Amino acid sequence: MRRQLLALTLLIVLLGSAGCVRLRTDLELDAKGGGTARISLSADPQVLAARAELDRLGGEALGPPLPAFDDITRPYLQKRAAGRGVALVTLTKGNEGGRSTLDCLLKFTDLKGVSWMLNDLAAA
């Protein structure tokens, strides 16, 4: 019970951290329904640490654990995209103004595959 209360408290802190995570997605579609998607993410390191702690404390009660920001690498994204008609073109991660950043460009053949991939990245 104590773990659940602590997990709920961390969840409230995360949800109250509006503006601490910024996610931008730009899509360019071609006539065949394929195209490119650029995903840019910027997050306060405290939010990333709180999310990791929430997974640790909450167990499966809060859903499946999400990958840590550091786990989102080229091989990770390539594996997630495999078989979905999505290819990772570029991936850049860094730190800007004290915030963890991620920028990636995906090329896709249809909206179904890129939609799945965007949802997967947004959740992570």
Side-chain angles (χ1 to χ4, degrees):
M1 180 68 163
R2 186 167 188 234
R3 286 180 66 186
Q4 289 176 332
L5 181 59
L6 187 53
L8 181 59
T9 302
L10 279 171
L11 181 60
I12 291 168
V13 168
L14 272 178
L15 294 175
S17 301
C20 290
V21 176
R22 295 183 191 119
L23 177 66
R24 178 181 172 145
T25 305
D26 296 304
L27 290 174
E28 289 189 24
L29 298 173
D30 62 27
K32 295 180 181 179
T36 60
R38 176 169 300 281
I39 296 103
S40 300
L41 176 111
S42 168
D44 185 300
Q46 291 177 327
V47 171
L48 298 176
R51 180 62 184 116
E53 183 68 6
L54 185 62
D55 277 340
R56 189 183 73 74
L57 293 173
E60 296 297 314
L62 298 171
L66 298 173
F69 185 80
D70 292 340
D71 294 339
I72 302 172
T73 61
R74 177 172 284 281
Y76 172 86
L77 292 176
Q78 288 171 329
K79 182 177 179 180
R80 300 298 289 167
R84 299 189 185 280
V86 179
L88 177 63
V89 179
T90 62
L91 172 64
T92 306
K93 291 177 67 175
N95 193 304
E96 186 176 310
R99 298 172 65 84
S100 297
T101 61
L102 176 145
D103 186 76
C104 71
L105 180 65
L106 304 171
K107 187 171 183 173
F108 58 93
T109 57
D110 63 45
L111 287 174
K112 184 177 179 182
V114 77
S115 176
W116 185 91
M117 194 70 186
L118 292 175
N119 284 330
D120 190 58
L121 275 172

